[in-house]
Amino acid sequence: MTRIAPAFPPYEPAIATELERIMPPGVEPLLLFRTLARSPRVFGRIFAGGFLDKSPFSLRQREILIDRTTARLGCEYEWGVHIALFGQRVGFGDSEIAALVHGPADAACWAFDERALIALVDDLVDQHMIRPATWEAASQHFAEAQLLEAIAITGFYHMITFLCRGLDLPLESYGARFPSA
């Protein structure tokens, strides 16, 4: 069980509204969200700063950023939820799912723009910066606003990883598991 017990309904009205907005109909709120609900301030800050709204990226590109970040940081909880809820919808097959966790940025399953996003995430995770060659490659495919958002998404999901791993959240029952190497 998580290090902080999750909240249960009835939730505070503002929290209930956000949970209704973000969760698919009939799906119980994520354990992460219910645990964050124990602190309305933290819950509110996380939901105010999220990136699951309209984006300058396609849904597939956004998921590549999120899934590569959480995979590289070892956050099977968040990675598994995103793969389960969005993987099929964005067209990830077995090769893409495996490459998100174990593959190089230039794996053959990725288009050139997707490779640039993955390399950007890898630089931020490994180097805490973006190498000039990576920036140049990414800027061939993406506008400045997109590059800023890519950095912000990577940072935001680094924080989500800290929360999931720091709270020692057990995996959601429907969440995907990291594929074997």
Side-chain angles (χ1 to χ4, degrees):
M1 192 48 143
T2 182
R3 290 180 169 147
I4 297 176
F8 290 95
Y11 304 109
E12 291 187 16
I15 290 172
T17 298
E18 283 300 314
L19 291 174
E20 250 180 61
R21 181 185 65 80
I22 196 98
M23 293 305 301
V27 176
E28 181 179 30
L30 298 177
L31 179 60
L32 171 62
F33 297 162
R34 292 184 293 121
T35 304
L36 293 175
R38 294 296 299 261
S39 170
R41 176 178 164 74
V42 172
F43 183 95
R45 297 288 182 172
I46 296 291
F47 274 74
F51 288 93
L52 297 180
D53 57 353
K54 188 162 173 52
S55 168
F57 289 112
S58 70
L59 182 59
R60 181 179 170 94
Q61 291 167 335
R62 185 198 75 192
E63 285 304 308
I64 287 169
L65 288 165
I66 293 169
D67 298 340
R68 182 61 167 205
T69 300
T70 54
R72 288 297 313 281
L73 295 170
C75 189
E76 191 173 23
Y77 175 91
E78 189 69 12
W79 180 89
V81 167
H82 275 264
I83 292 297
L85 296 179
F86 299 105
Q88 186 175 27
R89 202 158 84 186
V90 301
F92 290 163
D94 291 342
S95 62
E96 289 94 348
I97 290 170
L100 284 165
V101 179
H102 302 295
D106 63 354
C109 61
W110 303 119
F112 289 111
D113 63 320
E114 295 169 340
R115 292 175 184 185
L117 290 175
I118 293 167
L120 183 141
V121 168
D122 289 354
D123 274 8
L124 287 169
V125 169
D126 295 340
Q127 312 287 327
H128 305 243
M129 60 164 294
I130 301 169
R131 293 174 298 127
T134 303
W135 184 265
E136 179 61 30
S139 61
Q140 296 297 312
H141 300 282
F142 301 103
E144 288 179 349
Q146 290 174 302
L147 294 169
L148 283 167
E149 184 146 338
I151 296 167
I153 288 171
T154 303
F156 184 82
Y157 280 89
H158 202 137
M159 178 182 60
I160 294 297
T161 293
F162 283 169
L163 286 163
C164 294
R165 296 196 71 190
L167 292 166
D168 197 22
L169 296 180
L171 304 178
E172 296 286 351
S173 62
Y174 59 84
R177 301 302 184 257
F178 283 153
S180 300

